[in-house]
């Protein structure tokens, strides 16, 4: 069985599996010559530009296992008869940890103090605090659960929102997305963890932002397409809202984009899940999925329908 893997480390964790021949393809070089023989493809973190063209060259392909939770780049192009699985759970720890760090950094003015440190200036001033705040998690899946666990010691109230309302086994309530207009004014911090789908494109528009309370912080660890950049820029420029963004639209953000210089913003270059923990868990998932595939067991994280 021919398998494309994104790294030598991935090849190493599959090296002892019988009848599995791995070829490393990290997406930065021309594709290997054996595309027409590949049965399983584990793509690199960054999707290829021409996925449709790549899939057209892979007639024997049966499984695509991504190392990302988001699969929006793949969904429109997956050939009939090919199973698509995502990496749900792999990036939970890193992304949840980034979200906590980002909201703390903005609330405690750490970018301001870092700038003053470079100027060797002792710039004392009071800051906001996370304690006694309300954190609204929009997109309450596995990463949302991981985030709430990490917020447990910060003395905050958590409001959970998912596509559909439900009750958790311990009785906690998850609100439906249609309740957002009533919930947004209650939150000091709004964290975006939704997948990129047609339903979430532009979800955070001018109306969404207008419902957020004055001084609230928007934390985007989802996708840049979820937020109307111009609408957010207007709120930041007015000084009414603050933001921490790990993703942007466009992405990468051009050097001359006004978002870089907007007041009250912290920007990181899509690194929330880029951690050693994510790498370890991705390798564990890759091996587990390949063992399931070889033995005919049901695969985990199968994407069905419109995601």
């Amino acid at each position: 069985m021919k398998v494309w893997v994104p790294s030598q480390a991935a090849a190493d964790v599959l090296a002892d599996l019988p009848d599995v021949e791995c070829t490393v393809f990290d997406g930065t070089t021309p594709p290997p010559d054996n595309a027409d023989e590949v049965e399983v493809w584990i793509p690199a973190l960054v999707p290829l530009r021409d996925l449709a063209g790549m899939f057209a060259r892979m007639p024997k392909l049966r499984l695509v296992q991504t190392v990302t939770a988001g699969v929006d780049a793949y969904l429109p192009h997956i050939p009939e008869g090919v199973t698509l699985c995502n990496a749900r759970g792999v990036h939970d720890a890193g992304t949840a940890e980034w979200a906590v760090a980002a909201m703390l950094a903005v609330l405690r003015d750490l970018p301001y103090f870092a700038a003053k440190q470079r100027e060797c200036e002792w710039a004392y001033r009071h800051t906001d605090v996370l304690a006694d705040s309300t954190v609204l998690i929009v997109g309450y899946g596995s990463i949302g659960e991981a985030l709430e666990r990490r917020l447990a010691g910060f003395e905050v109230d958590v409001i959970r929102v998912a596509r559909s309302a439900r009750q958790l086994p311990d009785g906690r309530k998850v609100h439906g997305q249609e309740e957002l207009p009533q919930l947004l004014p209650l939150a000091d911090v709004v964290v975006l963890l939704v997948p990129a789908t047609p339903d979430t494109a532009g979800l955070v528009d001018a109306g969404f932002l207008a419902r957020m309370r004055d001084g609230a912080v928007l934390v985007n660890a989802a996708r840049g397409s979820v937020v109307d950049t111009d609408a957010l820029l207007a709120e930041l420029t007015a000084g009414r809202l603050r933001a921490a963004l790990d993703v942007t639209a466009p992405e990468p953000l051009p050097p001359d984009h006004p978002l870089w210089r907007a007041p009250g913003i912290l920007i990181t270059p899509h690194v929330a899940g880029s951690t050693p923990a994510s790498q370890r868990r991705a390798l564990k998932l890759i091996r587990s999925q390949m063992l399931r595939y070889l033995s005919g067991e049901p695969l985990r994280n199968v994407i069905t329908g419109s995601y």
Side-chain angles (χ1 to χ4, degrees):
M1 177 190 303
K2 300 293 192 300
V3 180
W4 277 2
V5 295
S7 65
Q8 186 58 50
D12 291 343
V13 300
L14 303 180
D16 66 322
L17 300 186
D19 302 321
V20 171
E21 181 181 323
C22 291
T23 302
V24 176
F25 175 43
D26 66 3
T28 65
T29 59
D33 294 331
N34 64 343
D36 59 337
E37 300 177 353
V38 173
E39 185 172 336
V40 179
W41 183 20
I42 305 164
L45 197 64
V46 179
L48 296 183
R49 288 175 181 249
D50 184 18
L51 282 170
M54 190 71 259
F55 285 137
R57 297 173 53 188
M58 308 175 83
K60 295 185 179 179
L61 187 65
R62 293 296 175 266
L63 170 64
V64 174
Q65 170 64 61
T66 70
V67 293
T68 58
V71 293
D72 43 292
Y74 296 90
L75 273 176
H77 309 296
I78 287 290
E80 186 176 353
V82 175
T83 299
L84 173 64
C85 298
N86 74 353
R88 175 184 171 91
V90 164
H91 303 286
D92 290 5
T95 304
E97 187 174 289
W98 177 90
V100 174
M103 65 180 76
L104 285 169
V106 173
L107 288 168
R108 301 308 304 266
D109 284 345
L110 296 189
Y112 167 82
F113 290 120
K116 292 302 180 182
Q117 178 184 340
R118 288 191 293 272
E119 299 169 7
C120 303
E121 181 179 347
W122 191 267
Y124 176 88
R125 71 177 185 182
H126 280 262
T127 71
D128 278 340
V129 67
L130 185 55
D132 304 329
S133 296
T134 296
V135 178
L136 171 59
I137 301 174
V138 183
Y140 193 79
S142 64
I143 298 177
E145 293 172 358
L147 174 57
E148 184 170 9
R149 289 195 298 272
R150 283 157 178 79
L151 289 171
F154 283 94
E155 302 173 23
V156 299
D157 293 322
V158 175
I159 302 175
R160 309 157 202 87
V161 173
R163 183 167 19 179
S164 302
R166 66 181 188 272
Q167 186 167 315
L168 300 174
D170 61 3
R172 289 175 297 154
K173 182 177 182 179
V174 179
H175 298 267
Q177 189 169 307
E178 70 281 357
E179 299 179 68
L180 269 175
Q182 292 76 45
L183 298 173
L184 285 168
L186 306 178
D188 301 287
V189 180
V190 177
V191 184
L192 305 175
L193 296 172
V194 295
T197 69
D199 289 339
T200 63
L203 171 68
V204 182
D205 56 12
F208 182 111
L209 295 169
R211 292 184 180 93
M212 290 175 62
R213 62 171 51 168
D214 291 353
V217 179
L218 180 74
V219 178
N220 190 2
R223 287 291 186 271
S225 61
V226 175
V227 177
D228 181 328
T229 300
D230 290 339
L232 176 60
L233 187 58
E235 292 283 14
L236 294 171
T237 303
R240 200 184 71 80
L241 298 179
R242 294 167 289 176
L245 310 178
D246 188 51
V247 290
T248 59
E251 186 177 311
L253 199 62
D256 60 348
H257 199 285
L259 203 56
W260 286 114
R261 295 173 294 281
I265 192 168
L266 171 68
I267 299 174
T268 58
H270 207 149
V271 297
S274 299
T275 71
S278 294
Q279 294 171 7
R280 290 190 295 268
R281 296 171 193 202
L283 293 176
K284 184 177 180 180
L285 174 65
I286 287 169
R287 181 173 176 82
S288 171
Q289 289 286 73
M290 281 303 301
L291 288 172
R292 288 173 177 270
Y293 183 77
L294 291 169
S295 64
E297 295 180 47
L299 296 169
R300 296 172 54 200
N301 304 339
V302 175
I303 302 300
T304 58
S306 59
Y307 185 46

